[in-house]
Amino acid sequence: MTTLAGHCHCGAIRVELETGKPAGELPLRSCQCGFCRRHGAMTTSDPDCRLNIEAAPGSLNRYRFGRRMVEALLCEECGVYVASVIQLENTMLATLNVAGVALDGFSGRSGEPVAYDDETDEDRLARRKARWTPTVLVEASPSA
């Protein structure tokens, strides 16, 4: 298992993606929705990985838009879009913005353009369950 680490611009939100694959084998997408385009987002997710997000107290800004099914996590301090999360029963799933957290192993890659405008709510939920990464989100003081 490899751990890829990154953080928002100011360091208040840190991420660790635990994966059994090299970063080059993980999918990289460029969602074409207005939110992702405005943030220059390039996201990855993989149900076989594990994502840990650690946010300093008060550093998370949670934003819901569109169908309001997921929360976009932004840093309250520096404004970086970090990830989008959805809580399903006892499991949190996420797609990680590797551009926002400068995640190791993704520099120089371009995301595959994707558009989800024609999906029904059921289609979106099924896609997220199948593709997004199991996630633990902790709001605590950053590790030394």
Side-chain angles (χ1 to χ4, degrees):
M1 196 60 89
T2 300
T3 300
L4 305 174
H7 56 81
C8 66
H9 189 260
C10 71
I13 302 175
R14 298 188 172 279
V15 300
E16 290 184 341
L17 184 66
E18 298 172 3
T19 177
K21 301 175 185 173
E25 292 180 17
L26 292 171
L28 188 60
R29 295 176 291 276
S30 291
C31 177
Q32 298 301 295
C33 80
F35 178 86
C36 288
R37 283 194 331 269
R38 286 182 178 110
H39 285 90
M42 288 194 301
T43 61
T44 193
S45 61
D46 186 317
D48 295 327
C49 295
R50 297 292 173 264
L51 176 61
N52 298 300
I53 302 172
E54 185 178 288
S59 66
L60 274 183
N61 182 351
R62 298 166 186 260
Y63 175 62
R64 289 182 182 247
F65 64 96
R67 295 179 175 160
R68 306 184 64 77
M69 295 174 70
V70 302
E71 288 184 328
L73 303 179
L74 299 105
C75 179
E76 185 71 31
E77 183 67 25
C78 66
V80 165
Y81 165 48
V82 174
S84 287
V85 297
I86 188 168
Q87 185 72 41
L88 299 173
E89 297 148 13
N90 295 326
T91 303
M92 179 176 280
L93 300 174
T95 185
L96 178 64
N97 179 17
V98 301
V101 296
L103 197 68
D104 298 338
F106 287 89
S107 63
R109 287 183 60 191
S110 297
E112 173 190 347
V114 292
Y116 304 112
D117 296 336
D118 295 333
E119 284 185 329
T120 65
D121 289 350
E122 293 78 20
D123 292 339
R124 285 176 193 240
L125 186 59
R127 174 177 47 80
R128 290 169 177 151
K129 284 181 179 179
R131 294 186 189 172
W132 282 22
T133 305
T135 300
V136 174
L137 171 61
V138 175
E139 293 186 64
S141 297
S143 302

